[in-house]
Amino acid sequence: MKAIFINGSPRKTWNTHKLLESAMKGAADSGAETELINLYDLNFRGCVSCFACKLKNSKTNGLCAVRDDLRPVLEKALNSDVIVMGTPIYFSYPTGILREFVERLLFPVMTYSNDENGNRIRAIDKKFYTATIWTMNCPESLAPKLNYPLIIETHSKAIGMVMGYTEDLCVYNTLQFTDYSRYEANMFDGDAKARHQAEHFPKDLQAAYDLGKRLVAKAKGE
Ligand SMILES: Cc1cc2nc3c(=O)[nH]c(=O)nc-3n(C[C@H](O)[C@H](O)[C@H](O)COP(=O)(O)O)c2cc1C
């Protein structure tokens, strides 16, 4: 049982990374072999629309044909049962690099053909248990006004459709700087942010841990 964790944040010791580490611990405690990949360490682009994966009798078997730093990561993801992605929200959307990863993961697995019953054929006949952990400055109460639930649902719907199963974990009102007084950011109350972090982030870490544990249990059929 393998579980892979994909960090779509450039920061390695901050919110998204910490939550992924917690999810990874949950998965390991459920008996999974785990690995965390930092996308910003890799040199790759999104889908280049080469359609090698869409050719009749394509030999790609669900793996993107483009040979770059991402290919071994995609190979590992396809050999995993659980795939947990993490991304900060940047200007209302997941980071560009996380989108590039998702394009390269999903497109070769999906096909444009239906079987005789009208069900979409997938290049890999396997259910992946996936999730996305979202972190953002935005407090939970403001998220609907900014359409975040719709954006998150739209992004994740494609993942669920292609990979078989998906969940989202949203972590709001994250701490962005250690010391707010050093930055031009008077729309934020640094003390209130720190208080929120101290009170809520441990619960978010627990939710991430539970997510990792639950996905592995589901993948095991428990
Ligand atoms: C370029 C950039 C754009 C951002 N845009 C948004 C945004 O649109 N909405 C939001 O709630 N937070 C936004 N944020 C804040 C981050 O989503 C938030 O601080 C996140 O938790 C950072 O994750 P990290 O700590 O893992 O780096 C933005 C941050 C950056 C650097």
Side-chain angles (χ1 to χ4, degrees):
M1 174 71 47
K2 290 188 178 157
I4 193 164
F5 297 79
I6 307 290
N7 185 18
S9 167
R11 302 203 289 180
K12 287 186 192 163
T13 55
W14 279 76
N15 300 285
T16 313
H17 191 262
K18 281 182 187 153
L19 290 154
L20 284 167
E21 278 186 328
S22 193
M24 195 157 79
K25 190 163 184 319
D29 287 351
S30 261
E33 197 183 306
T34 60
E35 183 173 356
L36 193 145
I37 306 286
N38 287 296
L39 292 181
Y40 279 85
D41 286 346
L42 309 175
N43 192 10
F44 71 96
R45 312 276 298 263
C47 174
V48 291
S49 216
C50 69
F51 301 122
C53 63
K54 298 286 167 284
L55 284 170
K56 283 189 174 162
N57 302 317
S58 165
K59 303 255 184 314
T60 55
N61 295 323
L63 176 65
C64 178
V66 174
R67 289 174 189 276
D68 60 10
D69 285 4
L70 194 64
R71 193 176 153 98
V73 176
L74 293 170
E75 220 165 347
K76 284 179 185 174
L78 296 179
N79 284 325
S80 300
D81 307 282
V82 169
I83 305 169
V84 180
M85 294 155 273
T87 181
I89 286 200
Y90 279 7
F91 296 101
S92 304
Y93 290 93
T95 53
I97 207 165
L98 196 274
R99 282 290 307 175
E100 290 183 311
F101 169 78
V102 168
E103 288 169 12
R104 297 272 302 277
L105 177 69
L106 263 51
F107 198 56
V109 176
M110 67 157 260
T111 76
Y112 286 131
S113 292
N114 292 330
D115 64 17
E116 57 279 8
N117 300 316
N119 297 319
R120 187 73 74 86
I121 297 170
R122 295 161 74 235
I124 301 179
D125 187 23
K126 170 178 171 183
K127 186 170 181 176
F128 296 88
Y129 289 84
T130 74
T132 307
I133 298 175
W134 304 78
T135 73
M136 64 203 89
N137 244 331
C138 178
E140 187 169 5
S141 56
L142 257 186
K145 219 173 167 182
L146 298 172
N147 287 330
Y148 290 177
L150 181 63
I151 290 165
I152 289 167
E153 190 193 331
T154 307
H155 173 88
S156 295
K157 199 170 178 180
I159 298 174
M161 269 169 49
V162 175
M163 303 306 283
Y165 179 88
T166 205
E167 290 188 28
D168 293 294
L169 173 64
C170 293
V171 175
Y172 303 95
N173 206 355
T174 53
L175 196 70
Q176 197 166 11
F177 317 116
T178 312
D179 179 357
Y180 276 73
S181 70
R182 290 184 57 220
Y183 297 89
E184 197 58 71
N186 72 8
M187 65 182 275
F188 299 118
D189 175 343
D191 293 338
K193 278 277 201 187
R195 278 198 304 278
H196 181 91
Q197 175 88 355
E199 191 184 331
H200 290 271
F201 202 64
K203 294 176 196 160
D204 296 325
L205 289 172
Q206 181 65 46
Y209 175 88
D210 294 344
L211 172 75
K213 234 181 149 166
R214 187 170 61 250
L215 288 179
V216 172
K218 276 182 184 290
K220 282 179 172 171
E222 289 169 358

